[in-house]
Amino acid sequence: MLGFPSRDHSFLLLNPKDADNHSKSLLQQVLELYLEELPTMNYAANTGKKSQFLEKCTTSGKYTTLVLRSDPVNGCGEVIAAVSYQIIPNDTQYAEIPLTAVSSKNQKMGFGQALYKELRERLQNVGILTIFCWADKTSESFWLKQGFITVGEVNSKGKVSRLPIRADIRRALSFPGGSMLMVAHVKKDTNNIGCNSGKINLREAVREFDVDVKDNSSQQRIKRPIWEASSLSSLKSKRVRGAHLSGCCQNSNQNLACDNCFLQSSRHTDMANVLPDHSTSPSCFGIHDAGRRSGDLCDHLVSKENCPRIMFMDIADDVKKTWLTKIVEELGGYVTCDGSNSTHVITGKARRTLNFSIALCSGAWIVSPKWLKASFREGRFLEESQFILEDEDYLLKYKTDLRNVVNRAKTNPKSLLRGYHVCLTKHIQPSVGIVSTIIRSAGGNVMHGLGCINEPSKTIFLACEEDMSEALLAAKKGAWTFSSDWLMNCVMKQELDLEAPQFAESL
């Protein structure tokens, strides 16, 4: 590939807010480049109408543009390639690339790769760990080669499909028409972390793990992939009436965050290398089966059924995760990627994620990193009760102590919905597959359709706005009608609140 910058080419960062006449001339070239190379991305989301999206990306000041230009002796040079980006507000861990293009006559010469490499290094230097980009069918293969995976799509008319990302991040994205949302994760330099003469320093790894989770908890940042991604986000949905909800990870503004919010890609099963609030597993957005397959790879190595099976959350650093896995194995346990198979969840926050929910319902210990740290010092796994996670945000939201919830779940695992039939419709959010997994982990029986209701007093109908008529019929039959947010509140508290206002009452 060509070496950049060279005598004939250079990189230049352009910010419309600070642009002089020279920079404005270059930005105009960038706009003309985008209009020529990316004509299908100039639609407003959910309208099917053309917009000023390309112009706004280059001139509004929201996005900065990095250009690769030729450098003639006279004049301002020609823009060969350009990439516009923003560091997502209020969270400097994420960046978005809405537009990038290489002029037709300069394509397939290494300019695009050189431009992205330069941008990636600049973003990495300011602490960016995750990069989103929007691609069309033509550029998708290029981004795949740079380590991105596809997680969502906006069609040519601007119609947005479900996106497995947190609500606060999604609100900052641009949604250009005729594009696909892709994601990649920038690896931090870990060459000097926890190493001593080439050997792993396990004590340092434990110390850093403790610090990382504390930082993650206090700042409420996603260090997973293992995006809250990949990939549910909380079940609060404006589509559910009577639930008083807000926020979302998918197109319906759901707030059941999956453990790896950006891992939704049916084409990729090696999820562990892709995402940020990670439980060491990829979970969710409908890819929990892939997580289980990944978990099987871990689980087949250990045949002891009674040894601790530990699931990590809040670790984005693959090297650190490897060290912590070694610690667990030296203590006599092993790391699993499957919440239903875990006996311990080590995390700094109680999260409404798929793996966290099924682990809690299954009676797993929810412990802070201090448990592993203290166990490492003693050379054995310690008794867990004094290390149960203390989460102030959880206490404020659910008005109950997580310690009591964990003990309740351990006393009667997989019993929250025992004896109940839960009826799901095709419009339920998150998806039927995800909700069904949670229900079964809580001991419930999944049903589909009103025709299956034979015991109304033992039937719970989970409703959303699209299913109002069915919800009313279910209520007339005597079934309980609630929103999916109600279900997640029950799961997180491990209490079945049948006294809560029913969905049908708000219709």
Side-chain angles (χ1 to χ4, degrees):
M1 191 184 74
L2 298 175
F4 299 106
S6 68
R7 182 184 306 176
D8 299 323
H9 304 91
S10 64
F11 295 107
L12 183 63
L13 199 61
L14 303 177
N15 188 328
K17 293 181 178 180
D18 305 323
D20 54 19
N21 290 335
H22 175 71
S23 297
K24 288 179 180 178
S25 175
L26 288 172
L27 285 171
Q28 183 61 36
Q29 288 189 49
V30 170
L31 176 57
E32 292 171 0
L33 173 64
Y34 288 160
L35 287 170
E36 181 180 353
E37 302 297 336
L38 307 170
T40 62
M41 297 180 74
N42 206 22
Y43 285 83
N46 293 318
T47 66
K49 299 178 181 179
K50 284 191 174 182
S51 70
Q52 299 299 312
F53 174 70
L54 299 180
E55 183 176 354
K56 290 178 180 178
C57 281
T58 53
T59 62
S60 68
K62 179 179 179 181
Y63 297 95
T64 301
T65 299
L66 179 66
V67 301
L68 175 60
R69 63 172 181 169
S70 60
D71 283 340
V73 176
N74 298 314
C76 62
E78 176 190 1
V79 173
I80 295 174
V83 55
S84 297
Y85 71 94
Q86 66 158 330
I87 295 176
I88 293 179
N90 303 320
D91 198 335
T92 56
Q93 189 178 352
Y94 304 99
E96 177 200 19
I97 300 174
L99 299 170
T100 186
V102 179
S103 62
S104 298
K105 65 180 181 180
N106 291 298
Q107 291 177 5
K108 298 183 179 180
M109 298 173 62
F111 289 109
Q113 186 174 351
L115 181 66
Y116 172 67
K117 180 181 179 182
E118 175 71 15
L119 177 62
R120 184 185 62 200
E121 291 177 355
R122 292 183 183 218
L123 292 175
Q124 187 175 8
N125 289 338
V126 296
I128 297 300
L129 296 180
T130 301
I131 302 175
F132 296 99
C133 77
W134 295 93
D136 58 16
K137 293 295 184 181
T138 302
S139 63
E140 181 184 20
S141 60
F142 168 80
W143 291 114
L144 289 173
K145 291 177 182 178
Q146 312 312 313
F148 284 75
I149 65 167
T150 303
V151 296
E153 184 174 358
V154 180
N155 69 19
S156 60
K157 293 185 178 180
K159 180 65 177 177
V160 183
S161 63
R162 294 180 187 174
L163 296 177
I165 54 179
R166 288 187 338 193
D168 56 334
I169 297 173
R170 193 188 62 175
R171 284 192 292 268
L173 300 180
S174 55
F175 298 98
S179 61
M180 292 166 285
L181 179 63
M182 305 184 75
V183 64
H185 300 282
V186 180
K187 293 184 179 181
K188 294 186 291 185
D189 184 4
T190 56
N191 291 337
N192 299 317
I193 297 179
C195 295
N196 184 11
S197 300
K199 296 181 179 179
I200 292 176
N201 187 331
L202 299 182
R203 190 175 301 278
E204 181 69 10
V206 172
R207 186 192 69 78
E208 291 198 4
F209 172 52
D210 196 18
V211 171
D212 272 2
V213 175
K214 287 178 181 178
D215 290 343
N216 189 36
S217 302
S218 63
Q219 298 178 28
Q220 295 185 348
R221 297 186 303 179
I222 285 189
K223 276 201 179 181
R224 323 171 201 201
I226 293 184
W227 292 96
E228 248 178 49
S230 19
S231 74
L232 311 158
S233 211
S234 85
L235 275 179
K236 295 187 173 178
S237 172
K238 65 182 181 182
R239 301 170 70 181
V240 181
R241 292 186 178 180
H244 311 290
L245 312 173
S246 64
C248 119
C249 171
Q250 300 180 357
N251 193 34
S252 61
N253 284 341
Q254 296 283 357
N255 195 13
L256 175 58
C258 74
D259 297 327
N260 308 297
C261 208
F262 298 114
L263 281 189
Q264 168 109 5
S265 175
S266 60
R267 286 176 273 182
H268 296 266
T269 57
D270 184 14
M271 308 302 225
N273 294 324
V274 187
L275 255 177
D277 181 269
H278 334 283
S279 52
T280 56
S281 73
S283 50
C284 65
F285 310 141
I287 60 166
H288 50 282
D289 289 336
R292 288 203 176 96
R293 288 194 297 271
S294 181
D296 292 341
L297 297 177
C298 303
D299 300 347
H300 85 278
L301 298 175
V302 181
S303 59
K304 309 175 199 172
E305 269 311 312
N306 297 324
C307 66
R309 301 181 296 277
I310 296 170
M311 184 174 71
F312 289 114
M313 295 180 69
D314 305 307
I315 306 180
D317 189 322
D318 290 337
V319 174
K320 193 171 299 180
K321 186 170 60 181
T322 299
W323 295 346
L324 293 170
T325 299
K326 182 175 178 64
I327 291 171
V328 170
E329 292 172 350
E330 288 192 355
L331 291 174
Y334 70 99
V335 173
T336 181
C337 305
D338 185 353
S340 64
N341 186 45
S342 64
T343 59
H344 298 74
V345 175
I346 301 180
T347 182
K349 298 290 293 183
R351 303 184 185 277
R352 288 167 67 134
T353 69
L354 177 63
N355 263 345
F356 186 93
S357 299
I358 60 180
L360 181 60
C361 288
S362 301
W365 289 103
I366 311 297
V367 294
S368 75
K370 293 179 181 179
W371 175 70
L372 184 59
K373 186 176 181 179
S375 296
F376 176 72
R377 287 172 177 167
E378 293 294 324
R380 61 184 176 84
F381 286 117
L382 298 180
E383 200 277 326
E384 298 89 349
S385 60
Q386 61 179 316
F387 297 99
I388 292 177
L389 179 67
E390 296 180 3
D391 187 339
E392 293 183 2
D393 292 337
Y394 174 92
L395 182 60
L396 289 173
K397 182 172 183 177
Y398 298 106
K399 311 301 180 186
T400 187
D401 191 339
L402 184 59
R403 177 178 297 275
N404 295 332
V405 172
V406 171
N407 288 330
R408 192 155 52 238
K410 290 195 67 62
T411 301
N412 296 293
K414 299 184 179 181
S415 64
L416 178 65
L417 294 172
R418 185 173 297 161
Y420 283 89
H421 309 284
V422 184
C423 187
L424 305 179
T425 63
K426 62 181 180 180
H427 296 113
I428 196 69
Q429 294 293 333
S431 69
V432 170
I434 292 172
V435 177
S436 297
T437 300
I438 295 173
I439 291 169
R440 293 189 182 100
S441 73
N445 176 47
V446 178
M447 301 168 51
H448 303 280
L450 293 171
C452 299
I453 299 179
N454 297 318
E455 298 180 87
S457 63
K458 287 291 185 179
T459 299
I460 297 170
F461 186 91
L462 293 186
C464 57
E465 187 171 310
E466 290 90 334
D467 307 310
M468 288 189 291
S469 58
E470 291 183 76
L472 289 171
L473 291 174
K476 288 180 181 179
K477 286 191 173 187
W480 304 91
T481 60
F482 295 106
S483 69
S484 51
D485 186 69
W486 170 87
L487 172 67
M488 286 309 302
N489 284 335
C490 292
V491 168
M492 293 298 287
K493 296 167 66 174
Q494 286 295 292
E495 288 182 335
L496 200 59
D497 184 11
L498 296 177
E499 300 299 320
Q502 294 189 55
F503 180 84
E505 294 175 3
S506 67
L507 302 179

